[in-house]
Amino acid sequence: MLAGLSRVRLLSWDGERAAGSELPQGTSMVVNTGLDPASERVVAYLPRFRDSERWDELIQAEPSSDPGALIVRHELPDGRIFASLSVMAVEIGREGVTYDFTDLTAERDG
């Protein structure tokens, strides 16, 4: 991610090619597929993040195999586990930058 007060550019890699996209002003939510406003998770949770004073409370949900869940955990057909591993919040403003990172594996892996 490249960011300044006037714009934020998200850089991503899908394993084959690099891509870049501009984030709109305000609150954005980036998921495994990138900046994907049509994602079930984004549609369901972005308004909650926009309206919440305490984003960290939103990520307390138990992991679910529902692809629209905020915190996801399910077993793939080959036995591997697909799961949400972390959540981060970045706030950029005239006063500075705030970066909060939450490791979701610390408590759930024992």
Side-chain angles (χ1 to χ4, degrees):
M1 186 178 312
L2 299 172
L5 291 176
S6 62
R7 71 182 237 195
V8 176
R9 184 155 180 80
L10 176 68
L11 305 173
S12 60
W13 171 257
D14 67 4
E16 293 183 17
R17 54 186 79 77
S21 55
E22 298 288 323
L23 272 64
Q25 290 287 326
T27 303
S28 293
M29 185 173 167
V30 179
V31 293
N32 296 55
T33 52
L35 186 63
D36 184 359
S39 161
E40 288 180 78
R41 294 167 76 193
V42 174
V43 169
Y45 291 97
L46 181 57
R48 296 178 196 179
F49 280 105
R50 283 185 183 134
D51 296 340
S52 178
E53 293 287 323
R54 298 284 317 266
W55 69 271
D56 55 326
E57 292 177 355
L58 297 173
I59 63 170
Q60 299 303 315
E62 286 297 313
S64 171
S65 60
D66 178 355
L70 181 60
I71 308 301
V72 177
R73 185 178 198 291
H74 66 272
E75 188 171 332
L76 299 171
D78 63 3
R80 293 179 298 147
I81 301 294
F82 177 85
S84 302
L85 302 176
S86 63
V87 176
M88 72 175 172
V90 179
E91 185 174 345
I92 303 166
R94 296 200 181 281
E95 301 80 34
V97 175
T98 302
Y99 173 81
D100 289 319
F101 178 85
T102 301
D103 177 359
L104 297 177
T105 64
E107 294 178 10
R108 290 181 166 87
D109 288 343

